[in-house]
Amino acid sequence: MQDDVVDPAAHNRAAWDKSVEEGNEWSTPVSSEEVERARKGDWSIVLIGRQPLDRSWLPADLTGKDVLCLASGGGQQGPILAAAGARVTVFDNSPGQLGQDELVAARDGLELHTVLGDMRDLSAFGDATFDVVFHPVSNLFVPDLAPVWRECFRVLRPGGTLLAGFLNPDAYLFDHEALDERGELIVVHKLPYSDVTQYSPEERAAKFGADAPLEYSHTLTAQIGGQLDAGFVITAFTEAPHQSNASAAYMSHYFATQAHKPS
């Protein structure tokens, strides 16, 4: 069932603005104490799940590095990286999410720039603008990945680093209600999965709520092969379980890649 009139960017912008109002876990800003520790070099950020990022995936010294936090609003990673010395731009589809970064920056005296937009279109930035693109788990909210990887490659400087987190597509195999309510892994969906093609608007509203973000699964060919097709060289890979989902006992829910734009 295809809803041909749905605009995923517009729908998910409103959905995430509402999530901010409701206090979503990924919309809760870091504390002033965390910012102060980061200024002293004691910091960690999350790329997948609740697993602290291996800091060797980033430049040893972030001072003066231009970092794009892509689809990474919420007042979490961007402020910490700014406190650690980076020149940070947070790009997100949700004004509410960006507002959380702006709140922390104003509260704690951080220099941090925010830009509103769709992760598939980074035309707000010139070629070779950033040293690092930090892209936590968020590309499940867009139906197509090729433009995301092309744009990341374009805006990175030669030798620049892309850190990308994404969902294991197998996570979408299972019945949502059985998993969340009873902890049962019952296979019901064929991959690739999409909220838009799998359910009518009425069914989505009944199952997830009318205001829930739209989600799309992506093949590993689209995730990993897409980065390679864009020109990246993948240099590291890791995985993590879901922080609370019943699937954690059986499979890794999240994957992450470190990739570089050749010099």
Side-chain angles (χ1 to χ4, degrees):
M1 289 174 285
Q2 177 70 49
D3 183 353
D4 293 323
V5 299
V6 69
D7 179 341
H11 178 97
N12 285 341
R13 177 173 293 180
W16 271 99
D17 282 350
K18 190 171 188 295
S19 292
V20 173
E21 295 173 3
E22 295 173 345
N24 184 283
E25 174 184 3
W26 306 114
S27 304
T28 303
V30 294
S31 67
S32 294
E33 290 74 21
E34 290 172 285
V35 170
E36 187 57 33
R37 288 198 300 270
R39 285 185 164 120
K40 298 174 181 177
D42 176 16
W43 58 271
S44 67
I45 54 175
V46 165
L47 182 62
I48 53 175
R50 292 189 181 135
Q51 179 174 291
L53 175 71
D54 181 344
R55 282 179 53 174
S56 70
W57 279 31
L58 286 167
D61 184 3
L62 286 172
T63 304
K65 297 292 185 183
D66 291 301
V67 176
L68 175 64
C69 290
L70 179 60
S72 180
Q76 298 182 356
Q77 298 98 348
I80 293 297
L81 292 170
R87 292 193 293 256
V88 174
T89 300
V90 182
F91 186 94
D92 200 276
N93 185 43
S94 162
Q97 284 284 83
L98 293 176
Q100 301 297 72
D101 293 276
E102 293 161 0
L103 180 154
V104 177
R107 183 192 69 196
D108 298 325
L110 296 171
E111 290 191 19
L112 182 149
H113 185 49
T114 61
V115 179
L116 179 68
D118 186 322
M119 70 183 82
R120 296 169 293 178
D121 178 7
L122 302 183
S123 57
F125 311 115
D127 296 351
T129 300
F130 298 100
D131 301 296
V132 176
V133 173
F134 183 84
H135 183 42
V137 180
S138 54
N139 67 31
L140 66 156
F141 300 118
V142 294
D144 48 336
L145 294 188
V148 178
W149 305 134
R150 286 197 302 266
E151 285 287 80
C152 286
F153 190 86
R154 181 185 65 79
V155 302
L156 274 171
R157 294 179 177 127
T161 303
L162 166 67
L163 304 186
F166 49 93
L167 279 181
N168 178 346
D170 289 354
Y172 284 99
L173 287 169
F174 307 110
D175 178 80
H176 167 80
E177 292 170 330
L179 188 61
D180 287 353
E181 296 175 9
R182 301 188 299 278
E184 298 176 355
L185 278 68
I186 300 175
V187 174
V188 293
H189 299 303
K190 182 178 179 180
L191 301 181
Y193 166 90
S194 161
D195 284 341
V196 175
T197 57
Q198 184 67 35
Y199 302 110
S200 70
E202 295 75 23
E203 289 169 332
R204 289 199 304 270
K207 204 167 187 66
F208 307 114
D211 299 321
L214 296 173
E215 296 188 14
Y216 305 82
S217 84
H218 299 292
T219 65
L220 294 181
T221 298
Q223 296 281 14
I224 296 174
Q227 293 182 48
L228 296 171
D229 288 344
F232 284 106
V233 176
I234 294 175
T235 48
F237 181 89
T238 191
E239 55 193 275
H242 193 280
Q243 59 272 14
S244 59
N245 193 290
S247 67
Y250 303 94
M251 59 188 282
S252 293
H253 206 89
Y254 299 110
F255 297 145
T257 52
Q258 178 202 58
H260 289 90
K261 181 175 180 174
S263 299

